Amino acid sequence: MAGKFELYQDKAGEFRFRLKAGNGEIILASEGYKQKASAENGIASVKSNAPLDERYERKTNSAGKPMFNLKASNGQVIGTSEFYSSASARETGIASVKSNAPGARVDDQTS
């Protein structure tokens, strides 16, 4: 099963999206957007930037857990990962975004 983007509205009324792998695991999540069109543009940006390794910012949180951000060409963060148990698990997550995002369908849950 291929990955998909879920476009949804949070409790505060903001639009968000998350990229799920074929197994249903969330592999990337967005910030909140005021407008649905902005969230849709964010999805398009993830699709175009996901294959490019230089767009991934590999980080570690204060507790030592690896994670990553996917950035657009202008440096803005367009998606954030979960926290991983190891750097190698983070690399597996990045590989999953690279393979799932470009062709992922959008499941619009806002209608």
Side-chain angles (χ1 to χ4, degrees), residues 19-75:
L19 175 61
K20 288 189 168 184
N23 65 3
E25 183 179 345
I26 297 170
I27 52 177
L28 196 72
S30 76
E31 65 183 5
Y33 296 91
K34 300 278 184 221
Q35 304 294 323
K36 181 178 178 179
S38 298
E40 291 170 332
N41 288 341
I43 290 171
S45 185
V46 169
K47 286 183 173 194
S48 64
N49 286 289
L52 308 173
D53 192 67
E54 65 272 14
R55 298 286 195 253
Y56 291 88
E57 176 186 37
R58 291 158 171 88
K59 299 177 74 174
T60 304
N61 74 358
S62 59
K65 295 283 190 182
M67 53 86 62
F68 64 87
N69 289 321
L70 176 60
K71 292 186 169 188
S73 58
N74 65 3

Side-chain angles (χ1 to χ4, degrees), residues 2-5 19-20 43 47 99-106:
K4 70 176 180 178
F5 286 96
L19 175 61
K20 288 189 168 184
I43 290 171
K47 286 183 173 194
S99 67
N100 281 284
R105 68 179 178 83
V106 177

